[in-house]
Amino acid sequence: MATRTVLKARPRQRRVPPWLARHQILAARAATSALLLALALFFAWGLQQWVRRTLVAAREQLFLPVKDRFSENFDARWYSCGPVPPFSTGTEAPVGAYLDGEPTLEALVARGSLDVWVREGRRLVRRPDAPRLAFYRTFAASLIRRRSDFLCPEEGQDPDFGWCLRVAVRTENWIVLKRLDPGSPALEAELAQVLGPDPDLKQCLHHLEPEPRAGRAPQTYPETAYQIPEGRLKGRVWTIGYWNRNQTPGWLWTTVPTGPLRRAMRAFVLRQVLLVLGPLLLLGGLSLYVLGIRRNAARQAALVKDRLASLTHSLKTPLAIIKAWCDASRHGRMEKEQADVLFIRIGEQVDQLALMIQNGLRALDPAVPNAPAEPVTSAWLEELAQEFRALCAEADRPFEARLEGWEGLANRVSLMQVLQTLLENALLHGEGPIRFSAQGKGRRFLVTVADAGPGLEPHQLQQLGLPFLRFRKPGAEGYDAEGMGLGLSLAIQIAEKEGWGLAFQSEPGVGLAGTLELRA
């Protein structure tokens, strides 16, 4: 005999005690939080390492070659000097042109006689009382004895050691003494000779000892086209500090990119950021898009569920009317002719229920167009008022109808569904007489259902119409009345889909009025 097993019996699962389930949930949350924190820290560390490597790559590929080229060119000028033109008075034109090409030249010392010529602007002068005259001769003699092309002074030899950078350069007939002062025009002119009119670098010449030397205050100078003060180096991302092995110890050159080089380095980093973070951002965007789709689908499913529940709730009033008519017929409270008329009305009410269900299902799909509008006359509203009057009579509530001779356009089934919801809300939550009115206002047709109940507070009025919203009795347990809090929510959804206006007016002690605004 063939057998098909559709389902297999599963063993009964062991029920976890509530206290243990709570602890398991807390432990799972703690573990998830710790894992997320660890992932965040790991991502931050990885991002920091990647940023550091990117900056190093930009420095090595773009910055270092330019800096090395500058260093070579500057050292070639600093430790060498062109031939000194012949002169007798020091004021000759060739001497001025020569001094313009050597902005750091401080003095000339003759190799044979050790005569000293001191620079004054664009000329050379012999001054027996010139400051540092003995130092110039001693420094030049040291270079002559060493048989080297240049010489840097030692700390005990230079009276300005630590405040300026000096070098002695050998030429054919002269010892050329050069001097560099941080921030000086001479250094600015020398850097202009090396870097050209559109510099890629700015230089900072500073001593490693921050303390003032020989009682003198540290020199300060503004930022120029080729130099940057030492105080402006803080916070710079790209800087290179270096010193020349041939120069006087203690002095440091710091190079900062500027101009085209700085823009090129920024573009390099930006390209690296786009190459790495671009795919991550794209992946994150796709993930957010998928999550948005799933969230929207979940929201639509919840909306459909709420609308189905609201549709079910809205069928209570018509079914209550049919049940009341059936009870009256079953107990024999009317004649045969009246019963026939009642059965006809029951059939019409069943047809209305079918249309109501159809409209409710149509409301679940926003893409489905609305049913065509029909004229809403005072006669049709009067028939509807008769049904409302019967329901109010069963609930022992007075009913007042005031209908003017206006006409509007609306889907009758949807309109009946909304008005029945408003009536049911007045019966369950209101007190006193129920007023049903219809009047024209310009090109609009207003239909109102109002009661004389306790009314609502302002914050309650703002929340009115939310799904599953039920107000509690003030100062007591439980809710104001039975229900699920879905009727007004469905009424608002139907009015929104049909394009009607719906407003609620209420204040404590006055009651609640719901007004539908239709096209006249």
Side-chain angles (χ1 to χ4, degrees):
M1 180 181 295
T3 303
R4 177 194 173 195
T5 303
V6 180
L7 295 174
K8 291 184 177 180
R10 293 177 296 181
R12 184 177 181 182
Q13 297 181 354
R14 184 178 179 181
R15 186 176 180 181
V16 180
W19 63 270
L20 182 58
R22 288 193 297 270
H23 284 76
Q24 289 178 347
I25 294 175
L26 293 177
R29 290 179 179 176
T32 303
S33 301
L35 179 60
L36 292 177
L37 179 61
L39 291 176
L41 293 177
F42 178 76
F43 179 78
W45 175 81
L47 183 61
Q48 179 184 9
Q49 296 298 319
W50 174 81
V51 170
R52 181 178 300 175
R53 292 184 179 182
T54 302
L55 296 179
V56 170
R59 175 177 174 176
E60 293 179 352
Q61 298 181 25
L62 301 176
F63 193 8
L64 281 179
V66 179
K67 171 260 171 188
D68 293 340
R69 185 166 59 251
F70 160 78
S71 179
E72 293 175 1
N73 295 336
F74 188 85
D75 290 348
R77 285 185 54 85
W78 177 246
Y79 296 113
S80 64
C81 190
V84 180
F87 65 93
S88 58
T89 63
T91 58
E92 293 84 353
V95 173
Y98 178 76
L99 293 179
D100 290 339
E102 297 290 342
T104 58
L105 189 147
E106 182 181 14
L108 292 178
V109 181
R111 293 180 60 177
S113 62
L114 295 182
D115 291 338
V116 179
W117 292 76
V118 181
R119 177 176 186 166
E120 288 185 357
R122 297 183 75 250
R123 65 175 183 167
L124 295 173
V125 297
R126 297 181 64 180
R127 295 182 55 184
D129 58 344
R132 310 287 188 264
L133 188 62
F135 163 70
Y136 294 155
R137 289 174 176 170
T138 305
F139 190 24
S142 300
L143 176 59
I144 294 173
R145 289 193 301 267
R146 292 201 178 194
R147 294 184 178 181
S148 59
D149 294 333
F150 61 89
L151 177 65
C152 296
E154 297 178 358
E155 183 173 1
Q157 186 180 13
D158 187 356
D160 297 320
F161 187 87
W163 286 102
C164 66
L165 191 61
R166 280 194 172 101
V167 67
V169 181
R170 183 195 303 270
T171 62
E172 184 177 356
N173 298 318
W174 299 89
I175 300 297
V176 180
L177 303 182
K178 296 183 177 182
R179 172 173 176 162
L180 285 179
D181 290 279
S184 64
L187 178 56
E188 185 77 6
E190 185 74 14
L191 293 175
Q193 296 279 351
V194 179
L195 295 174
D198 190 13
D200 288 337
L201 303 172
K202 283 188 176 183
Q203 303 295 325
C204 178
L205 178 62
H206 53 100
H207 201 271
L208 294 179
E209 296 183 9
E211 297 295 332
R213 302 175 60 84
R216 296 163 59 183
Q219 182 180 3
T220 59
Y221 55 92
E223 185 173 355
T224 62
Y226 298 92
Q227 299 184 70
I228 180 171
E230 183 179 0
R232 296 291 301 277
L233 296 177
K234 296 181 180 180
R236 299 274 180 170
V237 178
W238 289 298
T239 57
I240 297 180
Y242 64 97
W243 57 88
N244 195 306
R245 61 183 178 181
N246 298 318
Q247 72 184 22
T248 303
W251 287 94
L252 181 70
W253 287 92
T254 300
T255 304
V256 177
T258 184
L261 178 59
R262 187 177 181 181
R263 291 191 293 270
M265 296 177 70
R266 287 180 176 177
F268 175 85
V269 174
L270 181 60
R271 286 195 301 269
Q272 297 298 320
V273 170
L274 293 178
L275 288 176
V276 175
L277 296 184
L280 294 178
L281 293 177
L282 180 61
L283 181 60
L286 291 176
S287 301
L288 292 177
Y289 178 72
V290 173
L291 291 176
I293 292 178
R294 294 186 60 182
R295 183 178 180 182
N296 188 35
R299 186 182 302 172
Q300 290 294 332
L303 182 61
V304 170
K305 181 179 178 181
D306 293 343
R307 287 182 175 177
L308 284 175
S310 300
L311 177 61
T312 305
H313 180 274
S314 64
L315 300 178
K316 293 171 58 178
T317 300
L319 291 176
I321 295 175
I322 295 175
K323 181 179 182 299
W325 290 343
C326 291
D327 290 342
S329 175
R330 182 168 57 88
H331 292 299
R333 298 176 182 175
M334 58 185 66
E335 301 294 334
K336 184 178 182 303
E337 291 79 5
Q338 295 178 346
D340 293 339
V341 174
L342 184 59
F343 291 147
I344 294 175
R345 297 186 64 182
I346 290 176
E348 294 175 352
Q349 192 69 22
V350 171
D351 294 337
Q352 294 291 340
L353 279 176
L355 291 176
M356 189 179 298
I357 294 173
Q358 181 180 357
N359 288 340
L361 295 177
R362 185 185 293 112
L364 297 178
D365 188 1
V368 177
N370 296 332
E374 305 173 69
V376 178
T377 62
S378 299
W380 183 83
L381 290 175
E382 183 63 34
E383 295 179 2
L384 191 61
Q386 294 298 329
E387 299 177 2
F388 290 172
R389 186 174 286 105
L391 289 176
C392 292
E394 292 185 3
D396 197 16
R397 294 280 298 279
F399 181 82
E400 301 175 3
R402 186 171 58 87
L403 307 175
E404 298 183 2
W406 284 75
E407 291 187 1
L409 293 176
N411 180 6
R412 290 186 176 183
V413 177
S414 299
L415 180 59
M416 180 185 298
Q417 189 172 355
V418 174
L419 293 177
Q420 287 177 347
T421 300
L422 295 178
L423 176 67
E424 180 182 359
N425 184 78
L427 286 173
L428 291 178
H429 306 286
E431 297 176 0
I434 297 177
R435 297 181 298 275
F436 179 62
S437 61
Q439 59 180 345
K441 186 178 181 181
R443 295 185 178 182
R444 298 294 176 178
F445 186 57
L446 306 180
V447 183
T448 303
V449 177
D451 63 72
L456 298 177
E457 298 289 341
H459 69 279
Q460 294 177 327
L461 187 62
Q462 296 297 325
Q463 299 174 353
L464 193 65
L466 296 178
F468 301 101
L469 176 67
R470 300 173 65 189
F471 296 123
R472 294 183 178 274
K473 296 179 180 180
E477 297 182 357
Y479 295 96
D480 288 342
E482 298 181 357
M484 299 175 61
L486 294 172
L488 292 180
S489 174
L490 178 62
I492 293 175
Q493 295 172 17
I494 294 176
E496 180 181 6
K497 184 174 178 59
E498 296 290 344
W500 303 334
L502 180 58
F504 295 98
Q505 301 87 24
S506 179
E507 60 180 271
V510 176
L512 175 67
T515 302
L516 270 174
E517 184 177 348
L518 313 177
R519 295 188 302 272

